[in-house]
Amino acid sequence: MTTDARPDPRRIALFLLLMVLVGLNLRPALSSLAPLLVRIKADTGLSPLAIGALTTLPVLCLGIFAPLAPWLAKRTGPENTLALALGLLILGLMLRGAPPLPLLFGGTLLVGAAIGVAGTLLPALVKRELPGGADLMTGVYTMALCLGGALGAGLSIPLADAMGSWRWSLVSWGLLAAVALLAWVSLMPRAPRNLPAPPPGGSMRELLGQPLAWQVMLLMGTQSSLAYIVFGWLPTLLQSRGYSEAEAGWLMGASVMVQLISALGAPWLARFGRDQRPALLLVLGCVAGGLWLLLQADVQWRWPGVVLLGLGQGGSFSLALTLIVLRTANSRLAGKLSGLAQGGGYTLAAMGPLAVGVLLQLEVSMGTVTAVLLLIVAAAAAFALLAGRNRRLDLDQSGKLFTH
């Protein structure tokens, strides 16, 4: 290893490739379930509330297990921890396709745990590998997440039809995860020996005392709640408006595919301003417009709704992840903030799909469901005005955490 501080282009290219491959696996396990819910309900007899719990479980596990990622990374290294998470993801995907109904929930739990750990590690690795361009690299990673989500949503029904079973459709995504695990274990980058260690300090207790950390976490939670409501319930909501299950799945898949554009473009756009507030409000406005067009407007507005929702959700998630690296001074703080923001944020986000399940169980009108979703958008916008300011968590000479 040379002592040259300049980044190695080959190392960056390899890391970028691996990051995209891993990112492709962190959403199909979630988005592939939603288009199949009608079939799962018909086959298993699960109630809407039980289906709501099934869509909530992985998101809740994202929140519960995300804070474990920094702890595991400290003991086994972030590279080995990510490999462990990919192995756990494969196991979960295999189990939830097994016939016993409890394994559907157990496998879904493992899937959520694996994605929670892997998704928390990647922002810190990005900060380590390319600190100067971490925001744009986070956009590339988010683009991979969106592509994976789109593939999961769009191919779910065709795979079930081709394989003759929704169970095999769910299991099939384990092959993509196996490819990612093999590539990561073979080619994963190790921490450069000449890389100076981040200064000590910045405990989780100190982090919890910083309002900025809470603002980033609450923004992550509210915008993620909308994302997982879409992953978990949008096809069902669209089917209640008269769309076929295949068309509803493709509409959601198209919306997630549109996210590729804003996932990559939003961090670049955010560089033009002094802070990220204008960009955040723009993308959240798109989310609100897209939801309203899809759930309330005439069906002829479905494609503008798909585009607006996709642009908004891709941009809001990309910017929320970008804030983790922009609001921290080094990779260690980025890892801790990532654990807090994604752990607490996804725990909060899990309430969204469950709430929609409760609303559908109560047979409320589509107008009421839409109003609830728009209230969540408004809450996300309020937190964006705080978290989007140009501030940063750093350590002073004594190792004490502060915000400046």
Side-chain angles (χ1 to χ4, degrees):
M1 190 72 66
T2 66
T3 59
D4 189 351
R6 290 177 298 178
D8 181 356
R10 290 175 298 179
R11 179 186 177 92
I12 292 173
L14 178 61
F15 176 72
L16 189 62
L17 176 63
L18 291 172
M19 183 179 65
V20 168
L21 187 56
V22 171
L24 282 173
N25 282 276
L26 301 188
R27 287 299 176 270
L30 305 175
S31 64
S32 62
L33 187 64
L36 297 170
L37 288 179
V38 173
R39 297 189 185 193
I40 293 173
K41 181 181 176 182
D43 192 28
T44 62
L46 290 174
S47 68
L49 191 58
I51 292 290
L54 184 63
T55 60
T56 299
L57 184 62
V59 187
L60 184 60
C61 288
L62 292 181
I64 293 172
F65 289 94
L68 289 179
W71 182 84
L72 289 170
K74 184 177 180 180
R75 283 153 181 80
T76 66
E79 301 87 359
N80 294 329
T81 303
L82 187 55
L84 176 65
L86 288 171
L88 191 65
L89 176 62
I90 295 170
L91 177 61
L93 289 168
M94 297 296 107
L95 288 178
R96 74 174 185 171
L101 187 60
L103 291 183
L104 175 62
F105 286 86
T108 301
L109 186 152
L110 291 180
V111 163
I115 295 173
V117 171
T120 302
L121 289 172
L122 282 168
L125 285 169
V126 167
K127 185 83 172 180
R128 186 190 79 184
E129 293 296 321
L130 193 63
D135 53 344
L136 297 183
M137 190 175 277
T138 301
V140 174
Y141 160 62
T142 312
M143 184 179 69
L145 290 178
C146 297
L147 178 58
L151 292 174
L155 295 178
S156 186
I157 294 295
L159 284 173
D161 290 340
M163 297 179 176
S165 169
W166 59 265
R167 297 184 185 276
W168 283 112
S169 178
L170 294 178
V171 167
S172 64
W173 295 103
L175 295 175
L176 182 60
V179 171
L181 176 60
L182 181 62
W184 183 262
V185 170
S186 304
L187 304 170
M188 59 183 171
R190 297 291 181 178
R193 295 176 184 174
N194 63 316
L195 190 70
S203 66
M204 187 59 71
R205 179 177 295 180
E206 286 184 287
L207 196 62
L208 288 171
Q210 298 294 322
L212 178 59
W214 284 90
Q215 292 156 11
V216 173
M217 183 195 76
L218 290 168
L219 172 61
M220 175 65 76
T222 47
Q223 68 84 28
S224 294
S225 178
L226 293 162
Y228 291 112
I229 288 170
V230 168
F231 277 142
W233 286 112
L234 183 62
T236 301
L237 294 174
L238 291 176
Q239 287 175 54
S240 71
R241 297 204 70 198
Y243 297 97
S244 68
E245 64 173 9
E247 187 176 10
W250 278 113
L251 284 172
M252 188 182 85
S255 178
V256 179
M257 186 66 75
V258 172
Q259 292 181 18
L260 298 175
I261 302 169
S262 54
L264 187 60
W268 176 79
L269 178 66
R271 285 191 166 196
F272 284 95
R274 292 184 301 172
D275 56 41
Q276 287 72 50
R277 285 176 292 182
L280 282 165
L281 292 178
L282 175 63
V283 295
L284 288 171
C286 289
V287 172
L291 288 171
W292 191 87
L293 288 176
L294 283 171
L295 301 181
Q296 292 298 312
D298 191 88
V299 293
Q300 66 182 354
W301 290 97
R302 64 188 182 279
W303 287 110
V306 161
V307 171
L308 276 178
L309 182 62
L311 290 175
Q313 292 203 300
S316 61
F317 183 62
S318 181
L319 287 171
L321 281 180
T322 299
L323 289 184
I324 293 174
V325 296
L326 291 181
R327 298 295 175 262
T328 50
N330 58 60
S331 61
R332 179 175 294 167
L333 286 177
K336 289 178 182 279
L337 181 59
S338 181
L340 175 64
Q342 298 196 60
Y346 288 141
T347 302
L348 175 63
M351 300 303 103
L354 183 60
V356 173
V358 171
L359 291 175
L360 295 181
Q361 182 82 26
L362 296 174
E363 299 182 350
V364 302
S365 67
M366 187 64 69
T368 301
V369 174
T370 306
V372 170
L373 297 184
L374 294 181
L375 283 175
I376 299 174
V377 176
F383 296 128
L385 289 173
L386 298 171
R389 294 174 296 173
N390 188 18
R391 308 180 74 196
R392 191 168 70 161
L393 296 165
D394 206 344
L395 300 171
D396 61 19
Q397 292 183 347
S398 65
K400 185 177 180 180
L401 186 65
F402 71 103
T403 301
H404 66 92

